[in-house]
Amino acid sequence: MSETAGGSFLLPPLALYIHIPWCVRKCPYCDFNSHAAGPTLPEEEYVDALLADLDIDLQHVHDRLLTSIFFGGGTPSLFSDRALGRLLEGAEQRVGFAPDIEITLEANPGTFEQAKFKGYRALGINRLSIGVQSFQEAKLKALGRIHDGGEAIRAADMARAAGFDNFNLDLMHGLPEQSIEDALFDLRTAISQGPTHLSWYQLTMEPNTVFWSQPPVLPEDDLLWDIQEAGQALLAAEGYAQYEVSAYARPGKQARHNLNYWTFGDFLGIGAGAHAKLSTPAGHIQRTWKTRLPKDYLDPARVFQAGERALEAGELPFEYLMNVLRLTEGAPAELFSQRTGLPLQQLEQARREAERQGLLQADPARLVATAKGQLFLNDLLQLFLD
């Protein structure tokens, strides 16, 4: 970490998020910045744009090395290993990689073959996140997915064969007409593939999606709660510790990129619609976002950055805790001052009230939500609004 001359603010670790905005087909529940791919992808042009975007953002690096890189989308596995290799080489030349850097690539079953996975692994990509969502044909069809359950299993097999000993499987629950047995079948099937990490989260209806305007019939709240409890018990019994609202991992296999995000670390964001959170040595913190449409991002007359917003001192407690309190173990109390530059005493009044309501643990050394606080996280966070 870099430290200011006054010693009051430590620059946090720095990560890089890279957005690849194309998919084979847009899923009806998806509110991410993703767009159906045409017959050919502008790989070379897009990598050129990404590196030019990164060049502009080098002003925010402040002599830090990248601790993690995350290729998100869209479906980054649509890109060739050659294109991603040129991008990684350019990023390392410009910023530099920490010796133990974690590099994650999102992939969808049905968009790759084993040779492609081996190529990714040879580049230094050392973690995959495979978007399975379900292993059951009816559920996959309802979600608009293009793969079947067999392809999802083969994807995990291919990942291991290509040398990936660290990979995540994405699963949804609360699907149309899903029973507890359906949800547990998906979880057991996923666990049998030997992932080091599982993202298991509830399907929600998001604005600007097909499901928002044409919502499917989802399980009732009581059933959703039963699914959640049964799934968490199964995951715990199988050795997957919950460390965030929807993240479960084998010991030592938590997603470092996501942990940096949830502990209010810094991250550069390049690519169409990418967001960033950035700090200066003087302790100023801002959020930025890039132009959203791929055609605009690729325009020769482009301006990559679409907007920015400085975080005011009064916003920082809420912004910080909105992330940290998602973690089941929270974070050391002293990290608040390190990440925000504000005195911990600023939280004192709201902290005591949260403890009184049973939403925050009465631990002077840590900021961590109780089990009740995890369930009523919005109520807990409201107490820290300025």
Side-chain angles (χ1 to χ4, degrees):
M1 293 184 182
S2 301
E3 190 172 357
T4 63
S8 61
F9 185 79
L10 293 170
L11 279 173
L14 181 68
L16 172 64
Y17 175 76
I18 302 171
H19 193 75
I20 310 291
W22 292 283
C23 286
V24 174
R25 184 173 67 195
K26 180 84 170 179
C27 295
Y29 58 84
C30 179
D31 68 335
F32 294 128
N33 184 32
S34 59
H35 307 266
T40 59
L41 289 173
E43 283 191 343
E44 293 300 316
E45 297 89 340
Y46 196 69
V47 170
D48 288 342
L50 288 168
L51 292 174
D53 191 359
L54 181 57
D55 281 333
I56 295 171
D57 281 355
L58 293 180
Q59 62 182 309
H60 302 297
V61 172
H62 303 300
D63 298 321
R64 290 174 288 181
L65 299 177
L66 293 175
T67 59
S68 67
I69 297 174
F70 194 100
F71 289 94
T75 307
S77 56
L78 289 175
F79 268 38
S80 68
D81 56 349
R82 182 179 55 81
L84 297 186
R86 186 162 73 89
L87 180 53
L88 286 173
E89 182 180 3
E92 186 170 21
Q93 289 172 348
R94 287 163 170 80
V95 186
F97 294 175
D100 62 345
I101 188 170
E102 174 192 271
I103 306 178
T104 301
L105 176 80
E106 287 188 336
N108 281 337
T111 64
F112 53 79
E113 62 278 350
Q114 188 168 329
K116 204 171 185 182
F117 266 23
K118 288 181 177 178
Y120 294 148
R121 187 68 189 90
L123 297 175
I125 295 172
N126 51 23
R127 186 174 181 273
L128 290 180
S129 182
I130 304 173
V132 172
Q133 314 314 350
S134 177
F135 291 92
Q136 299 170 71
E137 306 307 313
K139 301 297 184 286
L140 289 167
K141 184 176 181 180
L143 292 172
R145 303 295 287 175
I146 63 171
H147 67 272
D148 59 34
E151 285 177 311
I153 291 172
R154 286 193 293 277
D157 290 340
M158 290 180 189
R160 286 190 299 270
F164 286 96
D165 57 3
N166 189 15
F167 68 94
N168 168 69
L169 296 181
D170 258 4
L171 280 179
M172 284 184 176
H173 61 88
L175 306 181
E177 300 183 12
Q178 188 177 48
S179 64
I180 294 178
E181 292 73 20
D182 289 335
L184 293 181
F185 172 84
D186 277 345
L187 272 178
R188 291 191 182 100
T189 305
I191 291 167
S192 71
Q193 306 313 306
T196 50
H197 190 284
L198 280 163
S199 297
W200 190 58
Y201 51 94
Q202 184 178 323
L203 172 65
T204 56
M205 303 296 101
E206 302 293 344
N208 302 315
T209 65
V210 173
F211 275 4
W212 181 261
S213 57
Q214 304 171 37
V217 178
L218 301 181
E220 298 289 338
D221 287 347
D222 287 348
L223 179 54
L224 289 173
W225 179 250
D226 290 342
I227 289 173
Q228 182 79 22
E229 284 195 318
Q232 288 179 327
L234 173 60
L235 287 161
E238 293 290 342
Y240 291 89
Q242 183 179 14
Y243 69 97
E244 190 267 343
V245 172
S246 59
Y248 304 77
R250 297 285 192 195
K253 295 299 184 180
Q254 296 92 341
R256 280 189 277 153
H257 187 87
N258 290 342
L259 280 176
N260 181 62
Y261 182 88
W262 291 321
T263 54
F264 216 50
D266 277 1
F267 55 96
L268 301 164
I270 59 174
H275 286 238
K277 179 257 174 182
L278 305 161
S279 306
T280 70
H284 303 297
I285 300 173
Q286 66 175 356
R287 295 193 182 277
T288 67
W289 53 96
K290 302 300 172 64
T291 187
R292 184 175 176 84
L293 293 178
K295 67 178 181 64
D296 295 336
Y297 190 84
L298 289 168
D299 190 320
R302 62 194 166 232
V303 175
F304 293 117
Q305 185 160 303
E308 65 179 32
R309 187 174 72 85
L311 298 182
E312 302 296 333
E315 298 178 272
L316 288 175
F318 181 85
E319 287 272 343
Y320 173 82
L321 293 169
M322 179 176 62
N323 290 288
V324 163
L325 293 181
R326 290 178 62 92
L327 296 169
T328 57
E329 295 185 0
E334 63 184 13
L335 192 65
F336 172 76
S337 295
Q338 293 175 13
R339 293 290 192 263
T340 66
L342 301 174
L344 184 61
Q345 291 77 8
Q346 186 165 328
L347 300 180
E348 191 66 23
Q349 183 175 349
R351 195 174 176 184
R352 297 287 85 83
E353 178 60 21
E355 291 172 1
R356 187 190 69 79
Q357 294 186 25
L359 300 173
L360 196 71
Q361 291 186 21
D363 183 347
R366 296 190 72 81
L367 288 165
V368 55
T370 62
K372 178 183 176 183
Q374 287 281 338
L375 288 175
F376 299 99
L377 193 55
N378 287 338
D379 293 337
L380 171 56
L381 291 171
Q382 287 295 316
L383 298 175
F384 293 92
L385 280 173
D386 185 43

